[in-house]
Amino acid sequence: MTDDPTVVETRNGPVRGLDDGITKSWRGIRYAAPPVGELRWRAPIPPQPWTDVADATVFGPVAPQPGNPVIRLGPDVVQDEDCLSLNIWSASTVEHGDRRPVMVWLHGGAYVFGSSSQPLYDGRALVSDGDVVLVAVNYRLGALGFLDLSSCSTDQRRFDSNLALRDIILALDWVRDNIEAFGGDPDRVTLFGESAGGSLVTTLLTIPSAGGLFARAIAQSSPATSVYDSARAARVAGMFLEKVGIAAADVAALANLEVDKIVAAGQALFSEVPATSPGTLAFAPTVDRDLLPDYPLETYRAGKSHPVPLIIGTNKDEASLFKWMKSPLMPITPAAIRSMFAEIASEQPELNLPSEAEIGSAYTGMKLKAAGLAVARDIGFRMPTLWLADGHSAVAPVYLYRFDWATPMLRALRVGATHAAELPYVWGNLVVGSKDITFKLGGMKVGKALSARMQNRWIAFAVDGHPQGLPGDPEWLPYESGRRSTLVFDRQDSAVDDLDKELREAWGNDVLNFR
């Protein structure tokens, strides 16, 4: 071997990273074989071992995806199906065998966009104090990661379900087997993610084969009910085959279909499905009764989720970003909301859905457009989070939060504490690129202080499962059915009992799985 401290021996082979004197990093480490050819739409398998030292100084390719001006993938990005890699950061002082707590990140992006190498997710600020080792995972996206073609399997060509979830489980296997060589503790892994990444976290908490792979979890703005059954997955699969011009009898041809055609067909479905069926997505986890045995919220309600401590929460103005982007993903207009509820009622007649008047009681005094945004926020994010907290708190401590802070610029733009607004504070990367206008009207001093508080709580949770803050910060009590304590992150943080009382009473306790 070598005296280079960035050369680490993994079970697959040695890798060489970077050390800038403050932090070390290893980028683009392969954790799976390339999912191409006959492995396309199949469960991932471990990579072939190597003997020469692999270069881990540059990020690996990102999953093929459409362009999105809101999601900055970073300079010199290469898109390729061979995207199943992960990145690791630690303080320069961390050494082999140190057994520091580990945080494993799952990026968001509506199951279609994003990567672990986005500049926003640069891990240096989070690890520079040496408290944790950080891992960020790439997984397959869009049609390549969430299209369930298992209904099209034949004797000659088999397809697997929930590919992205299987990717993440294999990556967690890799962390368990290798992270100690990077100074991490495989027995203290915290899985955390936001938006689609948050939903993957809340889903993995209910997958039997993920048990024991992480000891704590953090779910930021999880659309926990965006999980669909095999019948709906089969319908989307049929729509996809029609888009790419391949008959069901000729599915073997999918192995050689050009990636650009797959991405284009996926993008078309990404827009069309929520437009025709408000509140639903083309791509999301599937209840396949194999990897994922049941709807996650049903598992939480039954008290059968993995009993690990959980931080979970949402942002005050989740839906405003989707309105600003003119995104079809969330039903915001009264007509779209009514259409969504009509579809839920027809597909799930056993549910005791609240009436329009009952729901409206939680939004009295709001103008129609504002009420539509609030309903979209709550059915998409806040209510599933509360239902999940109620269920999971029976098996493990749950720490509920709401992120309310918005800079003067975000308030002026009327997006407020919108979806993903908390990310810069968690990561400590408050300004990402010269075009970032978040702090153009001020707020940086407050933002830095808020970031320090959030990072301290996230790291404290990773250390011992208790997200307690700095001296003088309010105590963050576990969420229990009596007090229902919530920590509100704002200019000044506060702990509030039963913050969502009116919402809970208006919406009721039924779990809405958009099947």
Side-chain angles (χ1 to χ4, degrees):
M1 270 310 263
T2 172
D3 293 331
D4 185 342
T6 71
V7 174
V8 176
E9 187 71 46
T10 75
R11 296 196 180 186
N12 302 120
V15 295
R16 176 183 285 109
L18 297 168
D19 188 345
D20 63 12
I22 299 174
T23 59
K24 290 186 285 193
S25 64
W26 296 264
R27 305 172 181 183
I29 300 176
R30 181 184 298 279
Y31 69 85
V36 300
E38 292 302 313
L39 289 179
R40 179 187 278 176
W41 285 300
R42 295 297 307 275
I45 61 174
Q48 289 293 319
W50 59 87
T51 54
D52 293 336
V53 178
D55 178 35
T57 63
V58 295
F59 292 117
V62 306
Q65 59 193 270
N68 187 322
V70 175
I71 297 179
R72 300 184 179 96
L73 293 176
D76 304 320
V77 165
V78 175
Q79 295 190 24
D80 195 285
E81 273 190 275
D82 185 8
C83 63
L84 298 184
S85 65
L86 51 80
N87 313 310
I88 301 173
W89 289 267
S90 75
S92 294
T93 55
V94 175
E95 299 178 351
H96 172 87
D98 276 356
R99 295 183 70 89
R100 305 292 172 90
V102 180
M103 300 182 73
V104 177
W105 173 249
L106 306 180
H107 69 81
Y111 307 107
V112 171
F113 306 104
S115 82
S116 66
S117 56
Q118 291 173 233
L120 175 59
Y121 307 140
D122 186 312
R124 287 176 289 185
L126 202 55
V127 305
S128 59
D129 288 340
D131 295 313
V132 297
V133 173
L134 176 67
V135 180
V137 177
N138 272 359
Y139 54 91
R140 283 174 280 184
L141 298 173
L144 289 166
F146 291 94
L147 182 67
D148 183 356
L149 289 164
S150 59
S151 60
C152 303
S153 291
T154 67
D155 291 339
Q156 291 74 38
R157 184 67 166 93
R158 178 184 160 193
F159 299 95
D160 294 314
S161 57
N162 285 314
L163 300 163
L165 285 165
R166 296 178 194 272
D167 293 344
I168 295 163
I169 290 171
L170 187 60
L172 289 169
D173 285 338
W174 189 97
V175 170
R176 177 197 60 206
D177 296 339
N178 292 283
I179 202 62
E180 191 170 358
F182 296 86
D185 184 350
D187 296 324
R188 285 192 294 170
V189 172
T190 296
L191 186 65
F192 73 130
E194 182 268 346
S195 190
S199 176
L200 293 171
V201 170
T202 54
T203 301
L204 284 159
L205 276 163
T206 69
I207 291 179
S209 59
L213 293 177
F214 53 96
R216 321 185 217 296
I218 302 173
Q220 301 166 208
S221 300
S222 167
T225 50
S226 294
V227 180
Y228 308 125
D229 66 9
S230 294
R232 178 167 290 186
R235 292 198 296 272
V236 174
M239 295 166 66
F240 176 82
L241 292 176
E242 185 176 340
K243 292 283 184 190
V244 297
I246 292 178
D250 194 28
V251 290
L254 287 170
N256 299 312
L257 185 65
E258 295 92 334
V259 173
D260 289 348
K261 289 185 178 180
I262 296 172
V263 172
Q267 175 66 358
L269 291 175
F270 175 79
S271 300
E272 290 174 13
V273 169
T276 55
S277 298
T280 65
L281 306 176
F283 305 113
T286 299
V287 180
D288 55 9
R289 310 297 179 184
D290 174 22
L291 185 80
L292 182 57
D294 203 350
Y295 295 94
L297 283 179
E298 295 292 349
T299 302
Y300 285 104
R301 286 213 301 189
K304 295 181 179 179
S305 49
H306 296 311
V308 304
L310 171 68
I311 290 176
I312 189 167
T314 62
N315 296 352
K316 184 179 181 181
D317 306 300
E318 292 277 5
S320 59
L321 176 67
F322 299 92
K323 178 185 178 184
W324 180 71
M325 293 172 58
K326 297 181 172 59
S327 169
L329 294 183
M330 294 196 73
I332 292 172
T333 66
I337 291 169
R338 290 190 186 102
S339 175
M340 177 187 68
F341 271 86
E343 184 169 354
I344 295 170
S346 65
E347 291 192 0
Q348 301 179 74
E350 75 280 3
L351 284 179
N352 182 26
L353 293 176
S355 68
E356 190 170 336
E358 288 171 326
I359 294 173
S361 68
Y363 309 99
T364 53
M366 287 187 178
K367 294 182 179 179
L368 189 61
K369 288 185 178 179
L373 283 172
V375 171
R377 170 200 67 198
D378 295 333
I379 192 59
F381 296 101
R382 192 62 184 179
M383 288 312 303
T385 289
L386 296 179
W387 291 325
L388 192 154
D390 277 330
H392 194 65
S393 62
V395 299
V398 174
Y399 297 91
L400 181 67
Y401 76 86
R402 194 178 75 188
F403 184 86
D404 284 18
W405 164 250
T407 67
M409 175 59 82
L410 294 183
R411 292 198 298 271
L413 293 173
R414 297 186 179 181
V415 296
T418 191
H419 190 65
E422 87 289 0
L423 286 173
Y425 304 92
V426 169
W427 285 88
N429 300 320
L430 298 188
V431 177
V432 182
S434 59
K435 295 182 180 180
D436 189 337
I437 64 172
T438 305
F439 291 93
K440 292 296 185 183
L441 297 180
M444 181 60 76
K445 182 178 179 180
V446 174
K448 287 182 176 179
L450 174 57
S451 179
R453 296 196 304 272
M454 292 194 76
Q455 284 195 323
N456 184 79
R457 290 194 188 269
W458 263 229
I459 291 171
F461 182 72
V463 170
D464 63 12
H466 297 88
Q468 298 316 321
L470 300 166
D473 289 345
E475 183 180 5
W476 194 352
L477 296 173
Y479 180 91
E480 297 171 347
S481 58
R483 296 185 63 163
R484 302 181 185 274
S485 182
T486 302
L487 188 71
V488 178
F489 290 105
D490 207 335
R491 176 183 290 269
Q492 297 292 329
D493 300 342
S494 59
V496 181
D497 288 344
D498 211 356
L499 175 68
D500 302 292
K501 183 175 185 293
E502 291 78 11
L503 287 180
R504 288 191 303 100
E505 292 177 348
W507 284 96
N509 294 318
D510 249 324
V511 175
L512 308 183
N513 287 305
F514 299 157
R515 303 177 186 179

